[in-house]
Amino acid sequence: MSDQNKLRWQIVLIIVMALFAIWNLYTIFMKPNVLRHYGWLGISIAIIAGTFVIRKEIKKRMNQEK
């Protein structure tokens, strides 16, 4: 898979995880005693952060190849 395709799929992953995080925030706001949503919120934020780090490394590699 080319680096351009990886970057595109990572954008899709970030959007999906952001929507999932927003849904969990809404659920936490409505039902604050449901603890599993705090865990899912943390996991989705961690995936988003990890994806940003990977994107940065791919972009750096692509710039070095130019």
Side-chain angles (χ1 to χ4, degrees), residues 2-47:
S2 73
D3 286 340
Q4 284 294 93
N5 281 339
K6 287 179 185 176
L7 291 175
R8 286 187 189 120
W9 280 108
Q10 288 170 348
I11 290 171
V12 171
L13 176 64
I14 288 170
I15 291 170
V16 168
M17 286 291 108
L19 291 173
F20 188 61
I22 290 168
W23 174 75
N24 279 301
L25 280 172
Y26 172 76
T27 305
I28 288 168
F29 181 72
M30 298 306 281
K31 301 175 188 174
N33 59 349
V34 182
L35 294 178
R36 72 172 176 260
H37 291 287
Y38 290 95
W40 286 116
L41 178 63
I43 290 169
S44 60
I45 291 171
I47 290 172

Side-chain angles (χ1 to χ4, degrees), residues 42-59:
I43 290 169
S44 60
I45 291 171
I47 290 172
I48 291 170
T51 305
F52 275 122
V53 170
I54 293 169
R55 282 180 58 81
K56 184 178 177 183
E57 293 298 320
I58 290 173
K59 284 183 177 182

